[in-house]
Amino acid sequence: MSELDGLKLLRRIEEGVAGKTGDAFFRQIVCDLSGALNAHAAFTSRLLPGRRARMLAFWVGDRYETCLEYALDGTPCEFVYRGDITAYARNVGEVFPVDRAWFEQLGVRSYLGIPVKDETGAVCGHLAVMDTRERDWADADIDVLRLFSLRSAAELERTRYQTELEQANRALLEAKAEAESANQAKSVFISQMSHELRTPLNGILGFAQLLKREGDALSERVRDGLSIIERSGEHLLKLVNDLLDLARIEAGKLELSPGRVYLDELVEHVVSLARVRAQNARLTVHVVTESLPTAPVQTDERVIRQILLNLLGNAVKFTEPGGRITLEARAARREAGTHAVTFVVEDSGIGIEPAELERIFEPFHRVTRTDRTVEGTGLGLAIVQRLVTALGGTVSVTSQKGVGSRFSIECEFAPAQLPEASSLPATEIEGYEGTIRRVLVADDDSDNRTLVARLLESVGFTVQAVGDGRDALECLSEARPDLIVTDLMMPRMDGMQLVRALRGEPALAETPVIAMSASASHYTREEALRAGCSAFLSKPLALAAFLETIGQQLGLRWRYRGASPSSSTAEPSPAPLATAFRLSPELTAELQHLAKQGDIIALTARVDAALGSNDAAQSFREDVRALAARYDIRGIRQVLAASSSL
Ligand code: ADP
């Protein structure tokens, strides 16, 4: 065949198979091939393992035949698969008795086959034509076949790649599905674990808070003990929350809980916590704040606290005694009204090698040292980075070996918009104005049910308590409660089903329902509100938030201890008592924080621990004790302010 004829034929082949791939391509090829060589039949195959071949397309006369899979041994194709162009001009059925019947059935007497080779030269398929007449195959026929074979080789290669790609994709999808189901299992485990751990914690914290309300009736020893129970419970709760955070981050499920955050207080609080550890390690702590907004910003306080405490914890761990740690918090107001805040944690510690700097944010990466062993998991910075990203911020680090490290975080916060929580602590509430209200409590956990009922009774509600949603529904028409407080997970009828049933009853549709759940996930909160709950609280219930929510739902005016019965706000406190003692700013911050939380027991204990042996502070201590005995938080805050500004 001349070069020109070859090119023309190639063009014809291309036109025929244009846009065709796979089966359609090979069907077109065998049809065109039989036409081009004027042969009765044409077929193409690909090699299978075990010396077998499978037809990809089979054209006989004027139509396609069913493709066959066959053993190569004893067939003319066997020679083709060895790499030879194989031609039989006549009697092909007699030469290959294995296939005689088949050739006879087709009426075929001559055969011409050519291997199809892949890019490495290995035979991966073949192409053959057969004719009903005796035929001395000419070189031109072989040239034509060769061109078809070259074109087929390209398509076979392409389909092989495609199959491999599809297999890889399938494996990837399977791996992804497997990972997702493992993740799903992990999430379920997390939420169940959360429930399991928080439920008993709810009992511990709730009863400690409830007993503390008995105030004066308790001996000092009991009150101190309760304080310890409460603080240990809170500590445990924090640990649980941190662990859950880590698990959630790992499962890609970190969700922020934005609230009103006073950045200046947050910094004070974090520093007061870090200072204890720093002092134990004989390090000095310096704090620099600049232009921090006095109004609250909208963000997740726990996340920022965790970030700063992780960085400060590292600074303490990796700084030799006598060293220095600095926390800087600077803010600048943006035109849009947001605050651009930079937190810096700097230490004069051992520093980090430049090569390590890139890797320290990787999970489980720890710099190996021969000179010192420091406890840690290598997760702290990985969590920090993920948390900062979740806040929409960035974290960076500079460090010099032997000089120190400086971690810097840039974040932007919007001003807070949530309503101000009650500034008066719940421990001071003794009742409410107006008629006695009825509350129905539904919870299958008897400890929690008793806790909620006793708490509500202690502030003057009439309470009926039941163990599940169905019992609640049954007694509703008679009980006619003003408010329903329900757990979400209960047997027989859960909280969601209860509230849906209620919302369908015209007489009860307006009754406010407060849902409580030990699973702190947003999903539950959103679902509860969507189902018709009026408010959602996660367990353990924070006393102040619980009463606050009840007050909002029922439009109550609370009565506070020591306040006149007709007023919902406390009487002005007596003027600060004469206290000629100057408090350190750190202790002031810590005490102000405890006062703001209404934790009078911890506050007096802290005053005694810090100043018990200081004679100059005696009258200050007595003032605080006298005010504490009256639960006069406002008075205590005034004394603190007066003593710190002396
Ligand atoms: P961990 O402290 O639990 O090992 P981190 O993820 O918090 O894990 O830190 C990873 C590694 O980065 C640490 O092991 C330590 O080698 C290095 N590193 C972190 N912070 C500092 C620091 N302030 N000074 C020196 N090295 C640090």
Side-chain angles (χ1 to χ4, degrees):
M1 191 186 325
S2 74
E3 200 170 317
L4 186 62
D5 288 345
L7 284 173
K8 278 185 188 157
L9 177 60
L10 259 182
R11 166 112 53 83
R12 271 222 311 281
I13 298 175
E14 278 311 333
E15 280 167 4
V17 297
K20 294 191 170 124
T21 55
D23 283 351
F25 173 92
F26 291 113
R27 284 162 78 92
Q28 189 64 47
I29 282 285
V30 291
C31 173
D32 288 352
L33 176 62
S34 109
L37 289 182
N38 192 21
H40 177 63
F43 67 102
T44 180
S45 75
R46 79 182 164 81
L47 185 64
L48 297 181
R51 303 182 50 73
R52 295 179 69 79
R54 183 200 304 279
M55 286 181 180
L56 298 168
F58 186 19
W59 175 264
V60 182
D62 53 2
R63 62 198 155 91
Y64 294 104
E65 283 290 335
T66 311
C67 288
L68 308 171
E69 186 184 313
Y70 59 100
L72 288 170
D73 289 345
T75 70
C77 305
E78 182 186 2
F79 294 94
V80 185
Y81 268 99
R82 282 187 196 156
D84 304 326
I85 293 176
T86 304
Y88 292 92
R90 57 193 61 82
N91 302 335
V92 64
E94 273 147 48
V95 184
F96 297 98
V98 173
D99 276 345
R100 183 185 297 151
W102 187 64
F103 286 125
E104 275 174 8
Q105 191 192 332
L106 291 171
V108 158
R109 299 163 88 179
S110 52
Y111 173 103
L112 174 65
I114 189 167
V116 175
K117 296 181 177 171
D118 67 16
E119 56 193 0
T120 66
V123 182
C124 57
H126 99 308
L127 199 56
V129 282
M130 298 179 290
D131 220 338
T132 46
R133 56 193 163 107
E134 290 185 0
R135 184 160 172 176
D136 287 309
W137 300 98
D139 285 349
D141 296 333
I142 294 175
D143 286 344
V144 169
L145 197 58
R146 188 171 278 129
L147 286 179
F148 273 92
S149 139
L150 287 173
R151 187 59 188 86
S152 297
E155 179 59 16
L156 264 185
E157 278 289 275
R158 200 199 60 75
T159 46
R160 187 169 66 82
Y161 283 132
Q162 189 177 340
T163 314
E164 280 174 12
L165 205 69
E166 280 166 4
Q167 275 169 355
N169 272 345
R170 219 172 300 126
L172 208 66
L173 285 178
E174 277 166 18
K176 195 166 164 241
E178 213 169 285
E180 268 165 11
S181 93
N183 231 355
Q184 183 70 20
K186 194 168 166 182
S187 307
V188 170
F189 172 73
I190 289 169
S191 78
Q192 278 173 355
M193 187 171 86
S194 150
H195 190 81
E196 295 305 321
L197 291 173
R198 283 160 185 266
T199 303
L201 265 176
N202 191 35
I204 295 171
L205 279 171
F207 271 100
Q209 288 180 0
L210 191 62
L211 288 173
K212 261 173 78 178
R213 288 176 50 79
E214 291 177 19
D216 292 347
L218 300 172
S219 74
E220 195 171 329
R221 225 168 59 102
V222 172
R223 265 188 288 151
D224 286 351
L226 283 174
S227 246
I228 293 171
I229 293 175
E230 195 183 16
R231 267 184 294 153
S232 305
E234 270 162 12
H235 185 89
L236 191 54
L237 183 61
K238 187 180 166 332
L239 286 178
V240 169
N241 285 338
D242 285 354
L243 267 174
L244 290 177
D245 260 0
L246 172 60
R248 276 206 199 100
I249 296 174
E250 291 286 283
K253 281 194 188 287
L254 173 75
E255 286 184 51
L256 297 178
S257 306
R260 298 167 66 86
V261 180
Y262 292 87
L263 287 175
D264 50 354
E265 274 184 26
L266 174 65
V267 169
E268 269 173 30
H269 181 52
V270 164
V271 170
S272 71
L273 293 174
R275 209 178 281 282
V276 182
R277 286 191 60 190
Q279 274 163 359
N280 289 342
R282 288 192 284 126
L283 303 169
T284 52
V285 180
H286 299 261
V287 187
V288 180
T289 56
E290 196 180 291
S291 317
L292 287 184
T294 47
V297 297
Q298 182 83 356
T299 186
D300 189 326
E301 177 163 5
R302 213 159 55 79
V303 167
I304 302 187
R305 195 169 53 214
Q306 196 176 351
I307 292 170
L308 294 179
L309 284 176
N310 271 350
L311 292 179
L312 286 165
N314 277 351
V316 171
K317 270 199 303 195
F318 298 107
T319 304
E320 304 290 354
R324 166 193 172 99
I325 291 169
T326 309
L327 172 65
E328 295 173 18
R330 301 175 201 278
R333 198 155 171 113
R334 289 271 162 85
E335 257 176 36
T338 57
H339 301 275
V341 180
T342 308
F343 295 106
V344 172
V345 175
E346 190 167 12
D347 63 58
S348 65
I350 57 176
I352 305 164
E353 298 272 9
E356 293 285 350
L357 273 183
E358 287 169 17
R359 302 201 51 204
I360 53 172
F361 291 101
E362 290 171 13
F364 302 107
H365 183 77
R366 308 197 63 219
V367 180
T368 43
R369 286 178 218 287
T370 46
D371 54 334
R372 54 189 276 154
T373 41
V374 194
E375 66 189 53
T377 58
L379 275 175
L381 289 178
I383 292 179
V384 164
Q385 192 178 47
R386 283 158 178 75
L387 294 179
V388 172
T389 307
L391 290 178
T394 55
V395 54
S396 57
V397 56
T398 53
S399 185
Q400 203 180 336
K401 192 92 185 122
V403 177
S405 309
R406 181 184 165 92
F407 289 83
S408 182
I409 284 159
E410 311 272 349
C411 281
E412 199 166 326
F413 302 117
Q417 278 157 1
L418 299 178
E420 179 87 66
S422 164
S423 57
L424 279 163
T427 42
E428 291 188 278
I429 293 178
E430 71 179 7
Y432 51 87
E433 303 288 322
T435 54
I436 292 176
R437 315 294 163 94
R438 291 177 303 271
V439 182
L440 179 71
V441 177
D443 194 333
D444 60 320
D445 178 341
S446 64
D447 287 349
N448 197 51
R449 199 167 60 227
T450 313
L451 166 68
V452 172
R454 294 234 327 241
L455 169 65
L456 292 172
E457 281 161 1
S458 79
V459 288
F461 291 99
T462 304
V463 180
Q464 183 162 0
V466 294
D468 63 52
R470 198 172 299 166
D471 284 351
L473 213 51
E474 271 166 21
C475 68
L476 267 174
S477 50
E478 221 171 281
R480 292 261 150 222
D482 299 294
L483 170 75
I484 296 165
V485 176
T486 180
D487 186 23
L488 284 181
M489 293 225 290
M490 290 186 292
R492 300 213 306 161
M493 178 187 268
D494 68 16
M496 295 292 197
Q497 292 168 315
L498 170 64
V499 74
R500 283 196 192 104
L502 276 177
R503 294 306 180 224
E505 292 264 331
L508 300 166
E510 299 302 318
T511 312
V513 178
I514 298 177
M516 13 171 223
S517 172
S519 150
S521 81
H522 283 249
Y523 174 66
T524 315
R525 173 189 298 272
E526 273 162 22
E527 209 186 42
L529 296 180
R530 223 179 303 129
C533 293
S534 327
F536 174 98
L537 294 171
S538 56
K539 291 182 188 175
L541 291 179
L543 196 63
F546 184 44
L547 291 182
E548 171 109 12
T549 309
I550 292 176
Q552 281 165 1
Q553 293 299 327
L554 294 177
L556 296 180
R557 283 161 66 89
W558 294 115
R559 272 192 287 113
Y560 294 90
R561 278 178 226 266
S564 71
S566 60
S567 158
S568 65
T569 50
E571 291 269 276
S573 298
L577 307 176
T579 324
F581 170 72
R582 194 189 185 314
L583 277 179
S584 73
E586 290 79 20
L587 188 58
T588 309
E590 206 180 325
L591 296 177
Q592 285 284 20
H593 181 74
L594 291 172
K596 218 174 261 184
Q597 290 194 320
D599 197 341
I600 286 187
I601 294 166
L603 186 142
T604 42
R606 184 76 190 97
V607 167
D608 286 347
L611 307 169
S613 55
N614 185 337
D615 286 346
Q618 195 187 341
S619 69
F620 170 81
R621 278 202 325 273
E622 280 167 8
D623 290 350
V624 170
R625 284 206 158 272
L627 291 163
R630 300 206 297 270
Y631 279 94
D632 186 347
I633 302 285
R634 193 172 289 193
I636 291 177
R637 290 179 70 172
Q638 286 177 359
V639 168
L640 290 174
S643 300
S644 63
S645 59
L646 278 176

